[in-house]
């Protein structure tokens, strides 16, 4: 159903598949359903446009750090990228074209925020409450994305600041930074892109750093019209380039998991890059990481370090004590007057608000099931939540490889399940808990000696319980291999027409054994 001005779509309906989110994962799922001839689905999107994180993040310099030819759907190569690392606007436009070209726009319900999703055992359906009505679905697919809920730091006094405050993912383009005293909190992937862009125009820039990131040279380059014409004329050539890039990125597993000592090669490159761009020894010392490269996200930039050497920039490593009406006070007692505070403080990866809105069997939410440590079998299914699939869920991000690859692997898995359900006449499938527990024990064991867990840093990869629920524990081709078919023998299944019997207030489920 397409959104039109003044029209309020009727969502009091039932569909076979409901998809949450119209970013890469949600659109990819919708397109695959369409390709398989399945029309009975909707995509529920809270915003008024597709694109997910690439729609929302519009800060100056926003760009992906995965090569363009790899950061796209395998079934929809784009020969028209203008840079070797894609720009935010081009990714957003690419996703819009995919939605239009594969004719999934009529299935997207814009302005529909999912406020509650609950499994109804009696009817074996998902009951969804949205901001514009209710609907039900046989299968629920969540493509909410890990980088969609901004994280605001708990800084004393921040709410009392009388100047302008905004998060980098919600950039205030109406606010002019020209001549202002600006404080930037955080030195992660967003900050290293926007700091060089705003530095020339501000009067003073105070960059508050907790831990210095490893910054490597940026190999980004323009892609000329001649190269673009070549890929348009010979699509196979672009696929070969994509394949070569994939395997080059896959090799980073040797650094992150196989043998952390191999990281020394990248560390030498990072230190050389720092020495060449920051001549001042004192500043260079503040910017030198003391942990193994890869423990935190590796950043790519040729502009970040030079920006920090400019006279109007101060790198502050003294922790913030409090924010006052027009200033920031650090623990050493130094007070800096500022007009604007920009939060480059990342996202709620482990405690996404959506986790508290999805309720499985007995009304238990994902947040309650996980208790601060998200887990899933193959990154996509959870016991107690029948017919629910997470796209790019816990422990499925592929190191330094494209998240789109992971998304397509999970989409394959969902399609396999839908096929099995249709073939066997099944109403529900639910992961067996013993499979879930055994699988996650192996994941924890595999990651325990990885650079992310044992690299000597504190990062957003680890949750409050110290558990790594972000990374896939190995080569991503293994994830692809394991999701090519739906392993129904690991699930409890229920056939159509076999209803749950109520006995003394408890639910006694009748399971149909897989053939």
């Amino acid at each position: 159903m397409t959104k039109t001005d003044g029209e309020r779509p009727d969502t009091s309906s039932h569909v076979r598949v409901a998809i949450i989110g119209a970013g890469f994962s949600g659109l990819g799922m919708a397109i695959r359903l369409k390709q398989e001839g399945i029309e009975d689905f909707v995509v529920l999107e809270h915003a008024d446009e597709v694109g997910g994180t690439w729609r929302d993040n519009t800060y100056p310099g926003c760009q992906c750090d995965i090569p363009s030819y790899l950061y796209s759907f395998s079934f929809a190569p784009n020969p028209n990228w203008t840079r070797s690392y894609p720009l935010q606007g081009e990714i957003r436009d690419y996703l819009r074209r995919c939605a239009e070209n594969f004719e999934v726009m009529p299935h997207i319900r814009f302005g529909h925020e999912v406020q509650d999703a609950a499994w109804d055992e009696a009817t074996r359906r998902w009951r969804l409450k949205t901001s514009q009505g209710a609907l039900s679905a046989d299968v629920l697919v969540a493509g909410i994305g890990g980088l969609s809920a901004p994280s605001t730091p708990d800084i004393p006094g921040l709410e009392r600041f009388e100047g302008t405050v905004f998060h980098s993912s919600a950039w205030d383009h109406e606010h002019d930074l020209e001549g202002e005293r600006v404080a930037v909190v955080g030195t992660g992937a967003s900050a290293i892109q926007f700091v060089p862009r705003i530095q020339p125009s501000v009067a003073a820039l105070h960059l508050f750093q907790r831990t210095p990131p490893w910054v490597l040279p940026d190999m980004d380059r323009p892609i000329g019209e001649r190269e673009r014409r070549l890929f348009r004329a010979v699509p196979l050539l672009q696929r070969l380039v994509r394949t070569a890039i994939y395997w080059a990125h896959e090799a980073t597993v040797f650094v992150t998991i196989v043998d952390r000592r191999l990281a020394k090669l990248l560390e030498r490159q990072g230190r050389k890059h720092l020495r060449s761009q920051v001549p001042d020894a004192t500043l260079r010392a503040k910017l030198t990481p003391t942990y193994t490269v890869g423990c935190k996200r590796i950043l790519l930039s040729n502009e970040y370090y030079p920006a920090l050497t400019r006279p109007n920039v101060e790198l502050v490593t003294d922790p913030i004590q409090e924010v006052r009406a027009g200033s920031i006070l650090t623990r050493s007692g130094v007070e800096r007057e500022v007009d604007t505070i920009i939060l480059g403080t990342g996202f709620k990866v482990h405690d996404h608000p959506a986790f508290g809105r999805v309720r499985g069997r007995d009304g238990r939410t994902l947040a309650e099931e996980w208790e601060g440590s998200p887990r899933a079998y193959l990154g996509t299914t959870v016991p107690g939540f029948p017919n629910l699939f997470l796209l790019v869920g816990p422990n499925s991000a592929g190191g330094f490889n494209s998240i789109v690859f992971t998304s397509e692997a999970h989409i394959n898995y969902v399609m396999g399940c839908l096929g099995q359900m249709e073939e066997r006449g099944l109403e529900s499938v639910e992961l067996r808990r013993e499979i879930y527990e055994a699988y996650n024990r192996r994941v924890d064991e595999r990651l325990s000696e990885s650079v992310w867990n044992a690299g000597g840093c504190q990062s957003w990869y680890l949750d409050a319980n110290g558990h790594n629920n972000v990374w896939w524990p190995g080569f991503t081709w293994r994830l692809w291999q394991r999701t090519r078919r739906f392993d129904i023998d690991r699930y409890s299944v229920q056939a159509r027409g076999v209803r749950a019997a109520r006995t003394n207030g408890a639910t006694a489920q009748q399971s149909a054994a897989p053939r």
Side-chain angles (χ1 to χ4, degrees), residues 455-472:
C457 74
Q458 291 183 336
S459 74
W460 60 266
Y461 304 151
L462 306 181
D463 61 35
N465 301 319
H467 175 253
N468 183 340
N469 53 58
V470 173
W471 297 114
W472 170 255

Side-chain angles (χ1 to χ4, degrees), residues 2 5 24 71 78 81 93 103-104 144 175 185 188 196:
T2 307
D5 291 339
F24 258 110
Y71 203 76
N78 178 21
W81 298 115
D93 293 345
E103 300 180 345
V104 298
I144 57 176
H175 182 66
V185 181

